[in-house]
Amino acid sequence: MSRDNPYITLPANRFWKHAATDAAARRLDGLWTPKFPITAERKLITVGSCFAQHISRRLAAAGFAWLDSEPAPADLSAEAARAQGYGVFSFRTGNIYTPALLKQWVGLALGQITVPDEAFEGDGRYYDPLRPTIPEAGYANAADMLAARTRSLAAMRQALLDADIFVFTLGLTEAWRHVDGHVYPVCPGTVHGQFDPGLHRFHNYSYDEIVRDLRETFDAIRRVNPRIRFLLTVSPVPLTATASDHHVLTATTYSKSVLRAAAGYLADCHDDVDYFPSYEIISSPLFQGAFFEPNMRSVREEGVSCVMAHFMRGIGLAVDEPAAAPAPAAAAQPVASADDPVCEDIILEQWARNTATAGGDAPRLLLVGDSHMGMIGDRLAEQGIAYAGGGVMAGSKWHWLQFIPDATRFFIPTDETARGLWDATVVRGAIGVAGASKPTIITNVGMHSHMFLSSFVPYLNNKYGRIPPNIELGDIRNHLLSERAAHLAIVRRMVEAGYRVIWVSDPPAQVADVAAYTAYDNILCECFAAAGAKAFNARAWINANGGWGEQYRSELIDQGTGKPDAIHGNAHYYRTLLAALATTYPDEMGELSRAAGVTAAA
């Protein structure tokens, strides 16, 4: 073999063998070098498919100047704001899967095109065909719908004028169009509206069409903002279904291949267009599918973390990532969590103060859950009552099933910090130790109840193609048993191991959709009681004793959003909750039930 050939001097990252070695550490060195500076000061726009939501959230959390062109009204909770399309992307457009739809939105915002004043009507409400899920409840009339769209287009235009970097995640080549040419985000009739085969036509965009639409879109934006730069990514999420004549696997491969080729071509041809390989990171055989949920479609949070770690390293910011690849978990639908910063703070503060977790005999009470358990732990400490555990990991880690089952330890967190906290709890609580007295376990197993609707609404859309006017309790029960079977299994293992378990529902802090949350809490209690636990319905107890009010509301501010914490109760709430538990379950609560001065007024 001649040693005078082009491959002799190539760097290591040009060879598959080296890349495969890197993959074991979840770090691919030299994967991406940006073509233009990307710094925290540069104003970023993010828009595109579902996967782009992860990028928006992570960039904002990392302190980047992420443009939110239409901020939510101040009186909306974080959950309600997201349900109305605020803060998901830079534009309040909902998902933009295809370059053709992006071109249409940009053309509308810049006044270059118009579309017919079409409206979808159902159950007395009106929905925007260009963003049928925003807001979820629709509008009272078509005029209100069009006025809201006009406001959003004005905000979008201003963002295009102000932005330095436009990040677009390409999702699909398949789309549905009206015979007059305008593009829909989803097929009419699947979410709202009525499908009409005479008006609605399927179209699968070709490579040439994708390149043309992106070029024309970028040219239109450049004319109003010459300094802007474009960063393209491709969503790794496979198609849910295909309207083509092909198997969904080959349809997915076609779609992603065309999008990836078009994005790469434009990046090669233009100095102000770059491509970031998020698609390759998630989909590569190097990671053996580890970044997908068991449904092999939804991307796990660890996958998003790995993508963003490579992005941050590419722009020169150091990011530490755990070396171990993520363990498989039960299926879940990705939904961004707005509350993690405040939840993490509560957990860390609780463990920093918790001197009851070291030394002495194993306590009678063991707390297992998220930040709510951390706040209960603080109230126990106030009264000098020993306990083990508390907030083991933040609610979203529970929600995203970042744990694996274990016969003696009940579960093992996949997150390193959470695993350390659980290890300390196991030791202090003497879990699995032969002959050790078994403490009473108080838990919410991180049910993250406030995120119920954000996963239930997609479930209803998938089942019925819309949100039915009357929600069936059976749907809530089936959804819960499907999505939260792993949490129920943890409690069942605790009971089968001989522990007395009290499962406690989360505070009834919701101000909207109260009927749905009430039904959810009732069914949760039924399910955990069936698993063998004493199920305490905090909502029912509070409602029977004066109701939820200012006396129970959290004083914390969510540092991620700057808005009041709408998830937890305050110290008085958790004291009241403990007093209720002590009264309701005196045998299980032991010392707490016998302690002097433990009352709801404490």
Side-chain angles (χ1 to χ4, degrees), residues 357-413:
T357 57
D361 296 331
R364 282 286 311 276
L365 295 176
L366 174 66
L367 308 182
V368 183
D370 56 20
S371 50
H372 296 293
M373 293 298 110
M375 298 181 89
I376 288 177
D378 281 345
R379 306 290 76 81
L380 289 170
E382 284 177 350
Q383 300 175 52
I385 295 175
Y387 69 96
V392 177
M393 55 186 175
S396 72
K397 292 185 175 66
W398 284 102
H399 185 81
W400 297 118
L401 303 170
Q402 293 184 20
F403 57 83
I404 56 177
D406 186 79
T408 58
R409 296 157 59 95
F410 309 135
F411 68 97
I412 299 174

Side-chain angles (χ1 to χ4, degrees), residues 61-115:
F64 280 76
W66 177 69
L67 284 179
D68 185 355
S69 69
E70 195 174 357
D75 60 344
L76 281 184
S77 67
E79 181 180 347
R82 292 188 67 83
Q84 296 195 33
Y86 293 104
V88 180
F89 302 109
S90 291
F91 309 139
R92 193 166 169 243
T93 58
N95 293 327
I96 296 179
Y97 295 108
T98 61
L101 185 59
L102 176 66
K103 176 183 172 182
Q104 180 173 281
W105 273 108
V106 170
L108 289 168
L110 298 181
Q112 299 169 342
I113 64 170
T114 60
V115 296

